[in-house]
């Protein structure tokens, strides 16, 4: 074991007026203003005994592509010496932020803004690594009830209402940073909102930074099928008052938990990374793909002729784009046979961070947390990329948005039901390997 050093940094990544917002296909207008600023926050930790370092970043964005993550990690590594595989670059998944990842009909990316945001994230990692000081770390848990509901199973569905809290203190015991982990989609604000906002995670982090620590990093847990309760009866009509209420609940509970924590300076830090190959449905034949394109175009034409509402037309346009991309991949012989998913684990003493690049269903997250050998396990969705949904095998039987419709916005493939087992067991195997590395081989 070595002594802990830590550094934090916070940078403003608020986009310029007029950029497209992302998250809703029903939103058909660009942003009209800024309600609250967006930030990227970085935490760098070091085990001075072996010189092992780790990075956690969370940005107030819908998500980042693998290409963006690769650039951030590569350039940050070149400037700090920290290994890319020791970095988790996560996003909170606000649906009121700028388009930063390619999703069909969900906003056009402003490339100049995206490149600037990537650079600011790189700079935040570099700055945090320069501001390292002796530190202490602790972790605890609270609970925040009445925030979300299971949109896949409704009243019968499970929730994860645990609020994970990691506290980083300086050598004097003063709180420097809290890391929060909570599982609920940041979609209180619906498609009618045209103001840039971090949604409820922005209020939660602001609450902590006002009351306790100079930096608060919010990470979204396994929330692929968890929506805010405000959407239960009337979807998409949440207000900024609702955002404030939910964010305050989470922020206040985080402060309550953190005030009871006492940190230690001795740490063991380690990381593991592996690409899991998830099975996908086989490609259609060329003729099947061509028929799909023609069918999608006919439906779009019919909607336009009948003067259908803009939202339905935008959805139909996205389906046409998807069908044409499928046909192109089949004709060119490059239809993917698997869906490669990078999983990154960072362990700090009895704390485990598990980064998953997409929308993990809560049941999978709960199983990972309950079976992990680490005392505190935090599943971080939208970590190191955004490749799509990871539903349960059971959800495929019911159909619905996540297994059957959402893939049409992300790519060209559909996962097979057995992907759940491969993903879950693959992650758990890695957790055991990392735990053994930290605790049994030193």
């Amino acid at each position: 074991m070595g002594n802990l050093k830590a550094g934090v940094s916070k940078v403003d990544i608020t986009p310029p007026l007029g950029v497209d917002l992302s998250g809703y296909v029903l939103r058909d207008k660009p942003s009209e203003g800024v309600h609250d600023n967006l930030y990227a926050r970085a935490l760098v930790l070091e085990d001075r005994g072996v010189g092992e370092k780790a990075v956690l970043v969370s940005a107030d964005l819908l998500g980042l592509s693998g290409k963006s993550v690769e650039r951030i990690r590569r350039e940050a590594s070149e400037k700090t010496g920290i290994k890319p595989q020791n970095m988790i670059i996560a996003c909170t998944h606000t649906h009121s932020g700028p388009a930063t990842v390619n999703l069909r009909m969900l906003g056009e990316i402003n490339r100049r803004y995206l490149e600037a945001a990537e650079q600011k994230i790189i700079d935040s990692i570099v700055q945090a690594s320069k501001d390292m000081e002796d530190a202490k770390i602790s972790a605890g848990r609270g609970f925040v009830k009445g925030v979300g509901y299971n949109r896949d199973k409704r009243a019968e569905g499970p929730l994860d209402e645990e609020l994970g809290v990691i506290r980083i203190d300086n050598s004097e015991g003063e709180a420097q940073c809290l890391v929060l982990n909570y599982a609920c989609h940041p979609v209180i604000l619906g498609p009618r909102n045209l103001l840039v906002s971090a949604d409820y995670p922005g209020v939660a982090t602001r609450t902590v930074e006002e009351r306790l620590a100079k930096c608060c990093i919010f990470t979204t847990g396994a929330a692929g099928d968890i929506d805010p309760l405000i959407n239960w009866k009337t979807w998409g009509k949440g207000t900024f008052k609702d955002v404030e209420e939910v964010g305050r609940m989470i922020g206040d509970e985080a402060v309550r938990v953190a005030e009871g924590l006492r940190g230690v300076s001795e740490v063991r830090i380690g990381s593991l990374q592996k690409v899991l190959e998830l099975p996908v449905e086989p490609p259609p034949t060329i003729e099947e793909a061509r028929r799909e394109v023609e069918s999608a175009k006919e439906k779009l034409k019919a909607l336009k002729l009948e003067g259908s509402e803009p939202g339905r037309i935008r959805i139909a346009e996205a389906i046409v784009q998807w069908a044409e991309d499928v046909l192109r991949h089949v004709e060119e012989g490059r239809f993917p046979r698997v869906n490669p998913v990078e999983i990154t684990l960072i362990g700090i003493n009895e704390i485990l961070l598990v980064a998953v690049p997409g929308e993990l269903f809560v049941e999978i997250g709960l199983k990972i947390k309950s079976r992990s050998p680490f005392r505190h396990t935090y599943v971080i969705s939208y970590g190191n990329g955004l490749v799509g949904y990871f539903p349960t095998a059971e959800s495929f039987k019911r159909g619905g948005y996540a297994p059957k419709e959402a893939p049409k916005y992300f790519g060209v493939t559909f996962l097979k039901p057995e992907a759940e087992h491969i993903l879950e067991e693959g992650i758990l195997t890695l957790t055991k390997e990392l735990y053994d590395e930290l605790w049994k081989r030193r």
Side-chain angles (χ1 to χ4, degrees):
M1 270 191 169
N3 288 333
L4 175 67
K5 293 190 75 174
V8 297
S9 178
K10 173 182 173 182
V11 293
D12 193 318
I13 56 169
T14 307
L17 183 67
V19 301
D20 283 354
L21 302 179
S22 189
Y24 301 112
V25 70
L26 299 180
R27 186 189 276 135
D28 59 357
K29 296 178 181 178
S31 62
E32 294 181 349
V34 176
H35 179 273
D36 52 283
N37 286 9
L38 307 184
Y39 296 95
R41 298 167 172 90
L43 170 65
V44 178
L45 301 174
E46 180 183 7
D47 173 353
R48 295 183 64 188
V50 295
E52 190 78 1
K53 294 182 179 180
V55 172
L56 172 64
V57 170
S58 185
D60 293 325
L61 299 170
L62 181 81
L64 288 167
S65 68
K67 183 178 180 181
S68 290
V69 170
E70 193 274 334
R71 180 206 167 190
I72 292 167
R73 293 196 296 193
R74 182 187 70 251
E75 294 192 20
S77 177
E78 291 171 354
K79 294 179 179 181
T80 64
I82 303 171
K83 293 178 287 187
Q85 60 266 33
N86 286 21
M87 300 182 188
I88 293 175
I89 313 299
C91 295
T92 62
H93 201 53
T94 175
H95 283 42
S96 294
T100 49
V101 64
N102 283 315
L103 296 169
R104 296 183 181 98
M105 298 302 296
L106 268 74
E108 183 176 346
I109 296 173
N110 181 315
R111 293 292 171 183
R112 180 177 296 180
Y113 165 76
L114 178 58
E115 290 175 6
E118 291 171 356
Q119 188 59 54
K120 287 182 178 181
I121 293 172
I122 294 165
D123 294 342
S124 73
I125 297 170
V126 173
Q127 189 61 49
S129 68
K130 289 179 178 179
D131 293 341
M132 305 278 281
E133 61 180 354
D134 291 340
K136 298 178 181 179
I137 188 170
S138 54
R141 58 175 57 88
F143 291 89
V144 184
K145 298 181 180 295
V147 169
Y149 76 100
N150 192 302
R151 69 187 188 189
D152 187 53
K153 291 185 175 180
R154 308 292 289 188
E156 303 300 319
L159 300 170
D160 183 359
E161 297 179 312
E162 178 183 277
L163 173 63
V165 179
I166 302 171
R167 173 171 173 161
I168 306 295
D169 292 341
N170 62 17
S171 58
E172 303 300 317
E174 299 167 330
Q176 300 299 296
C177 180
L178 294 192
V179 178
L180 312 185
N181 183 254
Y182 192 75
C184 183
H185 251 76
V187 292
I188 292 177
L189 301 171
R192 295 181 181 179
N193 172 56
L194 299 178
L195 299 179
V196 170
S197 175
D199 209 283
Y200 80 83
V203 178
T205 54
R206 187 187 77 223
T207 299
V208 171
E209 291 172 353
E210 289 175 346
R211 293 187 54 192
L212 184 64
K214 69 178 184 180
C215 182
C216 180
I217 296 175
F218 185 94
T219 62
T220 305
D225 51 348
I226 306 300
D227 252 19
L229 196 56
I230 191 73
N231 286 342
W232 177 281
K233 292 182 179 179
T234 309
W235 181 85
K237 293 188 178 181
T239 66
F240 283 106
K241 181 181 178 181
D242 299 319
V243 168
E244 192 75 21
E245 180 180 343
V246 171
R248 285 280 179 186
M249 288 171 60
I250 294 172
D252 288 344
E253 176 69 353
V255 171
R256 185 195 69 79
V257 172
E259 287 179 336
L261 299 177
R262 297 295 177 266
V264 297
S265 59
E266 300 82 13
V267 293
R268 302 180 182 191
I269 296 176
S271 69
L272 281 178
Q273 187 181 89
K274 185 176 182 179
V275 175
L276 301 178
E277 294 187 342
L278 303 186
V280 299
E281 296 294 342
T285 65
I286 291 180
E287 286 305 315
E288 289 171 337
R290 287 172 178 165
R291 286 196 296 269
E292 187 71 51
V293 170
E294 291 306 313
S295 174
K297 287 181 175 179
E298 286 298 321
K299 290 177 183 177
L300 174 59
K301 181 179 178 181
L303 288 173
K304 288 181 175 180
L305 287 174
E306 69 185 35
S308 187
E309 60 190 53
R312 293 184 65 194
I313 291 175
R314 288 178 61 81
I315 292 172
E317 288 173 336
I319 301 307
V320 169
Q321 292 179 13
W322 163 76
E324 290 176 337
D325 281 348
V326 169
L327 176 59
R328 191 175 304 111
H329 278 74
V330 173
E331 287 179 333
E332 296 173 0
R334 55 188 182 90
F335 195 92
R337 301 294 173 173
V338 296
N339 188 351
V341 175
E342 178 193 287
I343 303 298
T344 303
L345 275 63
I346 294 176
I348 313 107
N349 290 351
E350 283 285 357
I351 302 166
L352 177 65
L353 309 178
V354 181
V356 180
E359 316 241 23
L360 192 69
F361 268 36
V362 70
E363 287 178 73
I364 305 174
L366 287 169
K367 291 177 185 177
I368 291 168
K369 290 170 71 171
S370 68
R371 294 175 60 191
S372 168
F374 288 82
R375 187 176 302 158
H376 302 281
T377 297
Y378 305 124
V379 175
I380 300 176
S381 295
Y382 324 107
N384 290 338
L386 176 56
V387 301
Y389 277 82
F390 302 111
T392 61
E394 181 187 2
S395 71
F396 282 86
K397 300 175 183 177
R398 291 190 300 275
Y401 176 73
K404 298 297 183 182
E405 298 301 323
K408 296 176 182 178
Y409 298 98
F410 286 92
V412 297
T413 61
F414 293 83
L415 290 175
K416 289 184 176 181
E418 54 264 35
E420 177 200 356
H421 178 77
I422 294 170
L423 180 62
E424 181 183 319
E425 293 303 319
I427 291 174
L428 285 167
T429 297
L430 291 174
T431 68
K432 294 178 176 62
E433 289 180 10
L434 183 56
Y435 189 83
D436 288 345
E437 179 183 316
L438 286 180
W439 293 103
K440 295 183 180 179
R441 297 176 186 173
R442 288 195 184 184

